[in-house]
Amino acid sequence: MINRSVKDGYVYLDTDEAVRLIRNELSNLIYTRIKNMKVYEVPILIKSKADELRKKYSGRYVYRNQFKILEYPPCIKHAMEIINKGENLPHSARFMLATYMLAIGKTEEEVIEIFKNSPDYNEKITRYQVEHLAGKKGSHIKYSVPSCDRLRSEDLCFAVKECENLINPIQFGRRKLT
Amino acid sequence: MNQIEYTNENIKFLKDIFRKYYFENKYFPYLYSIEKREFGYRKFDSLVVRHLSFKNIGELVVELVRNVPLDVYYSNAYYGFPSNPINEKQWEGADLIFDIDIKDLNIPCFHEHTYYICNLCGFVNSEQKLCVNCNKGKTYDISIPCKRCFTAIKKEAAKLLEFLRSDLGIEEKFIEVFFSGNAGFHFHVNDPGMRNLDSNSRSSVTDYIIGNGFMCESIGVRKYRNGFMIKLPKSGIMNGWRKKIASSFGINQKSELKLKHLVEASGGYDGFRNEINRITKKFGVHIDSQVTNDIHRVFRLPGSINGKSGLTKTKCDDLESFNPNNDACWMTLKFTLT
C-alpha cells in the first residue's frame, strides 16, 4: 500500500495493477464457488488428475537432505548474534529463529540448545514453544518461517545484496544437492 | 525510598481505593458490543484471569468490585463465543488499534525517569539487570514520563491522526484517542469497514503509517543496467507517500529532469534509496506494528486503572490540552505508606 497512490481511504491503481487485482478476485470467486458446490462424488477424470498432482506436490518440502545451507541469512545471523551475546530477543525474533531452524531440518533439541543463552531461558517454556512450532503440540500445525515482507515490517530484516528477489529467508544461501 | 514493601496493609489500602473507583462506575466510556468481547484481568498477586465475558457494563462492574484487579483488559476482537477457548471463540472482527509509546521515541530524558524494580524484594535498581539487592530477582521497569516526553508524544499522536484522517480517510467519529494510563496513547478505530481486515491487511496499514518499505520505483526512479533511469508512474506522484516524498524533494509530475539531477547528486540509485529511507523515517509515525497487526489481542480497558502508574486509561477529546497528571488522575491523596 505504501508504494501506491493513496488518498482519503482510496488506493489508486495503474491499469495493469487493476487487471491483476480483478484476476485475483475472480480466482477467489471461482474457488469459493467450487468449494460451495458440495459435490458428493468427484468424477473419475478429475480424481485421477488430482491424485497425480497430489502425489507430485503434497507435503511440505523437507529441506534436510535436499538443500545445503551454505550461509545463514542476515536476519538469522543478527538474531543469533544477539542470543550469543546473552541478550533478550523480542518474541517475533524468537519465532523467526525457531521456525527457520526447524525448517532447515534441525531437531527440536538442537533448536532448544540455541536458546540456552537467553537470559530469561526456561527449558520447560522453550521446549513447549519449540514443539508447538514444530506442530507436535496444541494445534498440530507446523509453522512456516515468516516471509521477508513480514520480517521487514517487524524490523527484523537486515537485508544484504544477496537478499534481492527473495521472499522468504529460507531461500537464502542454499544450494540444491544433486 | 529505594525499596517497595509489599506489606498486607499497603496492598489492602490500594485495593480499597481500586474498589471504590470501580464501584463508582461512571468512569467507563461506552464499549461497543460489550457482549462479544473477551475480558481478562491481572490480580494484585499477579495471577491472570482470561476468557471472561459480560452481558453488560453492570455485570463487569460487579466482577471488578468483587475481585478488585490490578489491571483490566478486553479484546479488540468481537467473538461469537467470547468465553470459549481461543480456537472456539469464532472471530467476527476486531477494532483497528494503534499504540504509540514514549519508550519507542528515543527521547534522551527517558532513562532519567525509568526505574527497575525487583520482582522479589522490591528493590529499586538503576539499571535493568539482575537485582543488586537480593541477587535473585528479575527486574521490571516503571517509567514516569515527564513533560518533555508528553510534548514529544503528542506531536507523534498528531501525525498519526493526520494519517488516519487524510490518507486512510477514516471519519472523525470512528476515532477514539485514549491515554494508556502510563506512557502512551491508544487510538481505537471503530469503523465498521475496517473491522474485518485480517492480520496481513493490517500489516499493510501499519507499514504505511510507519513508512516501511517505500521503493524508489514508486516515485519513478528505477534501476537500469549499471545506473538508473527515470520513469514517473502513470498514477501520478501527488498522493499518499509519493506526495510526501515528492514535496520534500520539491518535485512534481513534470520534473523528470530535476529528479534525475537529484538522484545523481545523492550518488545514484543506492544513494537515493538511503535518502528516501531518511525521509520516510522523518515522516513516518512510531507506532508499535505488532499491537495493530494482532487481531486476537487484549487491551487495557478504557476507564480502568493502570496498575503500573495508578492513572486511568482516559479518553482524550483534545490532545493538545490533555494533561495526564490531571485528567487521568482519579484522586489525589496525601498519605504515607506503612
Side-chain angles (χ1 to χ4, degrees):
Chain A
M1 189 163 103
I2 186 167
N3 288 302
R4 305 227 148 70
S5 193
V6 178
K7 199 189 173 198
D8 295 332
Y10 289 93
V11 179
Y12 296 85
L13 302 174
D14 286 343
T15 34
D16 53 331
E17 289 172 331
V19 168
R20 219 179 311 147
L21 188 76
I22 292 168
R23 192 190 289 157
N24 219 335
E25 270 312 300
L26 266 179
S27 102
N28 281 345
L29 182 76
I30 294 168
Y31 182 78
T32 44
R33 287 230 174 131
I34 292 174
K35 269 248 145 176
N36 291 339
M37 274 206 287
K38 290 192 181 134
V39 183
Y40 293 104
E41 213 164 287
V42 183
I44 292 178
L45 196 69
I46 294 178
K47 201 165 181 241
S48 63
K49 278 278 171 208
D51 283 341
E52 218 172 275
L53 287 171
R54 189 174 295 135
K55 233 187 208 164
K56 209 168 163 189
Y57 293 111
S58 75
R60 279 164 188 275
Y61 280 112
V62 180
Y63 285 90
R64 182 171 251 183
N65 307 332
Q66 261 208 36
F67 293 105
K68 192 175 177 206
I69 303 288
L70 303 170
E71 193 188 357
Y72 287 148
C75 43
I76 300 294
K77 266 194 208 158
H78 182 263
M80 293 284 280
E81 264 170 40
I82 292 181
I83 274 236
N84 290 336
K85 261 194 265 168
E87 285 172 30
N88 272 322
L89 271 183
H91 175 74
S92 47
R94 292 176 198 217
F95 179 88
M96 166 192 79
L97 193 55
T99 47
Y100 179 85
M101 291 300 169
L102 290 169
I104 60 170
K106 288 221 186 319
T107 63
E108 284 128 53
E109 290 306 320
E110 286 169 308
V111 178
I112 293 166
E113 195 66 33
I114 296 172
F115 288 97
K116 280 225 164 104
N117 245 332
S118 246
D120 57 356
Y121 175 75
N122 174 332
E123 169 156 359
K124 220 173 122 196
I125 294 174
T126 310
R127 182 172 299 276
Y128 173 82
Q129 297 279 11
V130 171
E131 282 175 359
H132 198 97
L133 294 179
K136 301 209 167 146
K137 283 264 165 72
S139 51
H140 292 276
I141 297 165
K142 189 174 173 187
Y143 285 78
S144 343
V145 186
S147 64
C148 291
D149 256 348
R150 199 167 129 203
L151 296 178
R152 257 193 295 277
S153 82
E154 286 172 345
D155 265 340
L156 297 173
C157 173
F158 300 87
V160 293
K161 209 153 192 231
E162 288 77 21
C163 287
E164 250 168 58
N165 297 328
L166 297 191
I167 55 169
N168 193 297
I170 200 81
Q171 299 163 296
F172 190 92
R174 69 182 183 190
R175 184 182 292 159
K176 204 159 187 172
L177 292 179
T178 43
Chain B
M1 188 184 73
N2 57 3
Q3 194 153 5
I4 295 169
E5 291 187 32
Y6 301 116
T7 60
N8 284 339
E9 289 121 89
N10 283 348
I11 287 173
K12 188 182 175 301
F13 174 78
L14 282 175
K15 267 190 167 178
D16 285 344
I17 295 181
F18 275 52
R19 181 176 285 122
K20 187 161 181 245
Y21 175 82
Y22 289 123
F23 190 69
E24 300 170 15
N25 69 6
K26 61 188 175 201
Y27 299 100
F28 283 103
Y30 175 71
L31 264 192
Y32 184 81
S33 287
I34 185 170
E35 75 284 356
K36 287 187 178 296
R37 312 270 193 173
E38 179 204 339
F39 286 83
Y41 55 78
R42 179 183 288 121
K43 291 186 178 178
F44 271 72
D45 56 10
S46 332
L47 210 81
V48 176
V49 184
R50 271 190 75 170
H51 309 299
L52 302 174
S53 91
F54 303 103
K55 286 200 190 75
N56 49 49
I57 283 277
E59 271 191 15
L60 168 68
V61 171
V62 169
E63 180 82 12
L64 297 181
V65 171
R66 192 187 292 148
N67 287 305
V68 202
L70 183 63
D71 296 292
V72 192
Y73 302 97
Y74 81 111
S75 64
N76 62 333
Y78 306 97
Y79 297 112
F81 305 96
S83 52
N84 280 7
I86 193 77
N87 292 335
E88 300 157 19
K89 281 191 194 305
Q90 280 190 18
W91 190 84
E92 292 178 358
D95 297 338
L96 187 64
I97 299 188
F98 300 94
D99 174 35
I100 42 178
D101 205 298
I102 287 176
K103 72 168 182 287
D104 299 331
L105 297 184
N106 296 325
I107 304 168
C109 63
F110 186 71
H111 298 282
E112 294 165 21
H113 39 67
T114 301
Y115 307 94
Y116 300 95
I117 299 160
C118 174
N119 63 352
L120 288 180
C121 68
F123 186 78
V124 182
N125 293 268
S126 57
E127 267 182 83
Q128 186 181 17
K129 272 182 189 154
L130 209 65
C131 175
V132 290
N133 188 37
C134 65
N135 268 325
K136 260 188 258 162
K138 284 176 187 158
T139 57
Y140 61 95
D141 62 306
I142 284 189
S143 63
I144 304 164
C146 65
K147 222 173 176 178
R148 225 176 327 162
C149 297
F150 275 111
T151 318
I153 202 168
K154 277 181 188 173
K155 248 189 211 161
E156 209 65 15
K159 249 163 54 182
L160 175 57
L161 217 49
E162 184 57 30
F163 264 108
L164 296 182
R165 283 188 200 133
S166 58
D167 289 51
L168 300 184
I170 297 170
E171 282 179 62
E172 196 88 10
K173 64 177 180 196
F174 293 127
I175 307 174
E176 285 180 303
V177 185
F178 292 97
F179 169 59
S180 76
N182 188 28
F185 286 93
H186 294 172
F187 286 65
H188 293 222
V189 176
N190 201 349
D191 187 336
M194 303 273 178
R195 237 174 255 162
N196 289 319
L197 293 182
D198 62 8
S199 192
N200 280 340
S201 317
R202 285 172 204 239
S203 149
S204 297
V205 173
T206 50
D207 279 347
Y208 187 87
I209 288 171
I210 296 171
N212 258 345
F214 188 87
M215 296 191 295
C216 306
E217 282 76 3
S218 18
I219 200 165
V221 180
R222 302 180 182 196
K223 242 184 188 167
Y224 182 66
R225 291 187 182 154
N226 284 328
F228 68 92
M229 61 177 270
I230 306 280
K231 188 168 186 266
L232 290 174
K234 276 186 231 143
S235 46
I237 55 170
M238 292 327 279
N239 282 323
W241 266 102
R242 294 178 184 180
K243 183 181 178 184
K244 290 184 220 309
I245 307 265
S247 46
S248 68
F249 282 127
I251 53 171
N252 60 35
Q253 193 68 36
K254 287 175 191 137
S255 29
E256 272 193 36
L257 199 65
K258 191 173 175 193
L259 184 59
K260 185 168 176 260
H261 291 316
L262 273 167
V263 181
E264 275 165 2
S266 49
Y269 182 87
D270 289 334
F272 188 70
R273 194 169 55 190
N274 294 340
E275 190 72 8
I276 282 195
N277 286 343
R278 202 180 49 74
I279 296 171
T280 49
K281 276 217 176 78
K282 185 174 143 206
F283 285 111
V285 186
H286 290 271
I287 53 170
D288 185 340
S289 59
Q290 284 176 28
V291 172
T292 307
N293 302 348
D294 193 343
I295 53 171
H296 295 285
R297 205 181 180 92
V298 287
F299 288 84
R300 194 173 291 287
L301 179 69
S304 70
I305 302 176
N306 185 320
K308 271 186 167 180
S309 64
L311 298 175
T312 54
K313 178 163 173 179
T314 314
K315 196 173 171 193
C316 317
D317 290 321
D318 181 32
L319 257 176
E320 204 47 52
S321 66
F322 183 78
N323 175 7
N325 295 328
N326 230 344
D327 301 336
C329 188
W330 173 59
M331 59 156 52
T332 35
L333 282 176
K334 268 192 180 161
F335 60 85
T336 38
L337 288 175
T338 48

